[in-house]
Structures are given as C-alpha cells and as structure tokens.
Amino acid sequence: MSDTISFTQTAGIATLTFNNPQRRNALGAAELDAIESGLSSLDENARALVITSSDDRVFCAGADLTQILDGSLSGDRFQSVTNKIAALPIPSIATLSGNVFGGGAELALSCDFRLAREDIVLRIPAAAIGLCYPVEGIERITRRLGPSMARRLLVAAETFSAEQMLALGIVDAIYPPDSLYAAAQRYAESLIKLAPMAVINMLEIIRQFEGGNLNREQADALAKACSDSADVQEGITAQREKRAPVFQNR
C-alpha cells in the first residue's frame, strides 16, 4: 500500500480507503498502483469490498489532473483500475463519505452498490474545463445511468445533491453523517451472510445483461451450478429448521 491508500481485510470484508485529503483524494500513478496491489491481494475469504475515504469532505476527485496534463498519467491507466473494480467477482460498495468529483463518480459507478452521506454533492466538471471525459468512462456512465443522465452529468456538468442522486438512482441509499460508515458495514455484513456462489453467479449474469453481452449458455450453467450446490440444500434446510445457514461455497 501507500501513505495515501490503505487496504485491510477482516472477517470476509475488504476495505479500501482513500487517504489524501490535501489532494482531494485525487488518484495519481502511485495511488492507482496501490489500489491494484490491494485488489490483487484479495484472498479466497474476501466476500465483499468496501471503498471509502478517511476524509469527510471528499470521497474522490478521480484521476490526478496535474499528472494527466503533464503526461505522467493517462486516462487509460485510470480506466484500467475502474475496470478491475467493476470486474471483481465479489460485490463492491462505494461509501460516499464526502463530495464526489470527476472520475470519482465513475469509480463509484464501477461499484455494485453506492451508499452516500445525505449532505454531499456529485459533479463531473470535464466540460467546464474543456476536457472530453474518456470514452470508456462515458460508456460506463451511459450504461449504468442511461443516456439522458449521462448528458446531464457530462455534457451539462450539473451538480447533484445526495437527495437528487437517490431519486435518480445514482446512489442506493443516503444516511446522516454519523451513521454512514456503520450502515456500510452492516450492508457488507449482510452480503457476506448470503450464499457466496449465488451472489457471485447472479452478479456475473447481471453484469453480462448490463453490458449487452449475455452468454446464455454460460448464464444457464451458472444458474444450474447454484441449483445443484450443497449450499442450496443447506439454505433450504436452515430455513426449515429456523436457523442461520452455514454456507460452504460448494
């Protein structure tokens, strides 16, 4: 890791934390390397990833524009990291503990779930400074939110409040400042109590649908693997016996 990125893994929940408030948690080459290192270190016990910030003022400002402009960092490098987050086999939760700017919004949209503090704002100001947002990022934002919302975020560079984001489906829930972290932890804990094979396989099928590249044969095989698993038998038995299931991911 680095001084500006920390990574921990405890009881099945991995946590990636941005810790560079002086730079509004902008992600330069060192930070992107550290994020990749953290993602690569996830072991088989990891069942959910929480991404958050140590600073309540800002979640993430995206790629470091200073490095983008001096040529030491490319938009493709930033995209490669958001792609890795989006492709993780386990569910990811963006905990938006502060304002979200630029590529920080795309990074949040690379996650499967987004929980936000009720007093934050989100804005992608690329058009306001004369930049065209990276094409792959435009694709992700449009795919996730639809072309109308992509136009508002990117072309019009609108600023959205947390309440607007909730109403528009940009985030899944909003919380008071003093309860966001606990809510994110509870959500992650609820995810890791579910049958891991079912979670992972359905997540993959949903992502294929979302990307317009559904492999029906593969999707059917993933669904059948769950139906034939020992976990589904355990889940049914536990429900019948009115106890918590003990899933083995098999």
Side-chain angles (χ1 to χ4, degrees):
M1 291 298 95
S2 72
D3 292 338
T4 53
I5 299 290
S6 68
F7 180 85
T8 60
Q9 185 175 319
T10 305
I13 300 173
T15 303
L16 188 65
T17 305
F18 304 135
N19 185 32
N20 191 12
Q22 293 81 9
R23 299 286 299 157
R24 300 204 303 177
N25 287 331
L27 304 177
E31 286 76 27
L32 294 173
D33 287 346
I35 292 171
E36 280 195 328
S37 176
L39 297 179
S40 298
S41 72
L42 288 170
D43 62 34
E44 61 183 11
N45 296 314
R47 301 270 295 280
L49 171 68
V50 175
I51 300 180
T52 189
S53 165
S54 65
D55 182 16
D56 289 341
R57 294 169 299 175
V58 62
F59 169 70
C60 180
D64 189 324
L65 284 181
T66 301
Q67 293 187 23
I68 291 284
L69 293 174
D70 70 17
S72 60
L73 180 69
S74 70
D76 288 344
R77 180 74 183 95
F78 181 81
Q79 293 299 143
S80 72
V81 172
T82 58
N83 287 344
K84 284 183 171 65
I85 293 170
L88 285 173
I90 59 175
S92 53
I93 305 166
T95 306
L96 309 182
S97 55
N99 295 328
V100 186
F101 300 109
E106 187 199 344
L107 190 147
L109 288 168
S110 300
C111 295
D112 299 298
F113 305 98
R114 286 162 295 283
L115 310 181
R117 210 176 71 189
E118 64 185 5
D119 57 349
I120 68 165
V121 298
L122 178 148
R123 187 184 188 220
I124 301 178
I129 60 175
L131 286 176
C132 176
Y133 199 81
V135 174
E136 197 169 357
I138 294 174
E139 179 187 8
R140 171 170 287 121
I141 292 167
T142 303
R143 192 170 63 235
R144 274 286 163 98
L145 301 177
S148 177
M149 185 55 56
R151 281 189 283 268
R152 293 180 66 182
L153 273 171
L154 296 166
V155 178
E158 289 187 40
T159 299
F160 293 90
S161 68
E163 288 189 355
Q164 287 176 308
M165 286 189 277
L166 180 62
L168 294 167
I170 299 174
V171 300
D172 299 297
I174 60 175
Y175 297 91
D178 60 355
S179 62
L180 174 63
Y181 290 109
Q185 185 68 22
R186 286 195 305 272
Y187 202 80
E189 289 171 353
S190 72
L191 287 171
I192 68 173
K193 291 177 182 176
L194 303 172
M197 185 186 299
V199 169
I200 290 169
N201 290 9
M202 285 193 287
L203 196 56
E204 172 60 22
I205 294 169
I206 290 168
R207 288 171 177 172
Q208 288 188 18
F209 268 117
E210 185 179 42
N213 59 350
L214 178 70
N215 181 325
R216 188 54 186 259
E217 184 177 351
Q218 182 190 40
D220 287 341
L222 290 172
K224 187 175 187 303
C226 293
S227 299
D228 294 344
S229 69
D231 276 353
V232 78
Q233 296 302 321
E234 166 63 11
I236 293 169
T237 300
Q239 189 174 61
R240 186 181 300 125
E241 295 175 354
K242 302 186 186 307
R243 60 172 175 82
V246 180
F247 295 118
Q248 302 295 327
N249 195 23
R250 55 184 176 83

